[in-house]
Amino acid sequence: MSDPTQTVRRKVLVAGAAALAGGALTACGGGGDSGNTATGEPNGAATPPPGSAPADAPSAGGAAAGAKAIAKAADVPVGGGKVLKEEKVVITQPTKGSFRCFTAVCPHQGCLVSKVADGTIDCACHGSEFKVTDGAVVKGPATKGLAEKKITVAADGNITLA
């Protein structure tokens, strides 16, 4: 006959392993679509409310009160972008004067994207690529695009998180 203590330990270990496996599958899962059905915008990007300045339009004044500039517009190449590792964001300039900002955290497994080249934001961990225009997936294994972050581009070229 088996020892009841060993049977209980075995059940606890099996239950713990099942919980860890379920958590790992959830973290790796693609889930859902990459669009926001309420706004029709990709990756949940919301259309700015009337009267507010979109990220592509420079604001009239300097940086918002208390906001720290995270980059200069001149440092973001047209058709490319710049990865800001400390802030965990990537700023792109798909066309001259149009700036976009996305999380630099790849939705596949949480690595930071490494570079912006040839119209894509690239993650070196597993090879996922995202469009500089809207953060949508160009190449997997990621199944969700990069979440958009709101930024403000001041007249002096300072870029701040909104």
Side-chain angles (χ1 to χ4, degrees), residues 59-65 67 152-158 160:
S59 64
T152 302
V153 182
D156 62 3
N158 282 335
T160 57

Side-chain angles (χ1 to χ4, degrees), residues 7-153:
T7 304
V8 170
R9 280 190 201 145
R10 197 172 300 131
K11 286 180 180 179
V12 168
L13 288 173
V14 169
L20 286 174
L25 289 175
T26 301
C28 292
D33 64 3
S34 62
N36 181 340
T37 55
T39 64
E41 293 290 325
N43 300 320
T47 305
S52 69
D56 335 26
S59 64
K68 176 186 160 212
I70 58 171
K72 288 287 235 174
D75 296 336
V76 182
V78 176
K82 180 175 182 164
V83 178
L84 305 172
K85 292 184 183 203
E86 186 175 312
E87 291 82 3
K88 294 186 180 178
V89 298
V90 57
I91 299 173
T92 65
Q93 186 177 186
T95 58
K96 186 175 171 88
S98 175
F99 295 88
R100 304 292 299 266
C101 184
F102 307 97
T103 179
V105 179
C106 179
H108 174 241
Q109 288 194 346
C111 296
L112 288 183
V113 296
S114 56
K115 67 177 182 171
V116 181
D118 302 319
T120 61
I121 303 164
D122 304 336
C123 180
C125 287
H126 301 103
S128 292
E129 296 179 4
F130 308 90
K131 291 181 185 178
V132 296
T133 54
D134 62 4
V137 176
V138 172
K139 177 181 163 198
T143 58
K144 292 177 69 178
L146 298 174
E148 188 166 8
K149 301 281 189 175
K150 294 184 183 215
I151 55 171
T152 302
V153 182

